[in-house]
Amino acid sequence: MGCLGNLIWFVCGGAISGLSWCLAGCLWCATIIGIPVGIQCFKLASLSFFPFGKQIIYGGGACSFLMNIIWLLVSGLPLALEHLTIGLLLCITVIGIPFGLQQFKLAKLALMPFGAEIL
């Protein structure tokens, strides 16, 4: 399902999600202080383009917690709402349920991207 799922995913919503992460990364990289956050956005954009066959492990410490709070206030909510909305639309049909579940996984990641490891 990995290769075929990623291909269908990219055409049916993955491109839009990935471009949203790229836009957030470009906006964060406009400032020198935001470059580490922008780099994290670009890593998550690659996951958003092709999520099948990848797993996310959450962890981190106090620094990750602080960055997640700043991220949530500045960029996390719009990205999470986008993934949630697309996920709900995809879950309307039986065929779209696996794709909707991937969108929900990305919505959770959009709320807490720091301290998450992609395998």
Side-chain angles (χ1 to χ4, degrees):
M1 171 94 180
C3 185
L4 181 61
N6 281 328
L7 181 65
I8 296 170
W9 169 267
F10 186 78
V11 173
C12 297
I16 294 169
S17 299
L19 289 175
S20 297
W21 280 100
C22 287
L23 176 66
C26 288
L27 291 174
W28 276 100
C29 284
T31 65
I32 294 175
I33 297 171
I35 289 176
V37 179
I39 291 171
Q40 184 74 4
C41 287
F42 293 130
K43 288 179 191 175
L44 298 175
S46 70
L47 174 70
S48 187
F49 280 130
F50 304 108
F52 287 97
K54 296 179 184 170
Q55 195 174 26
I56 302 169
I57 297 175
Y58 292 95
C63 184
S64 296
F65 178 72
L66 253 120
M67 287 302 296
N68 279 331
I69 290 175
I70 294 169
W71 166 261
L72 183 66
L73 296 174
V74 177
S75 298
L77 284 177
L79 285 170
L81 289 175
E82 173 193 350
H83 287 297
L84 185 64
T85 304
I86 294 172
L88 288 173
L89 290 174
L90 286 170
C91 284
I92 291 173
T93 65
V94 174
I95 296 171
I97 290 175
F99 302 108
L101 294 177
Q102 290 295 326
Q103 287 285 359
F104 296 146
K105 179 173 79 171
L106 290 169
K108 181 180 176 184
L109 187 64
L111 292 175
M112 303 176 297
F114 294 97
E117 185 180 346
I118 301 167
L119 300 176

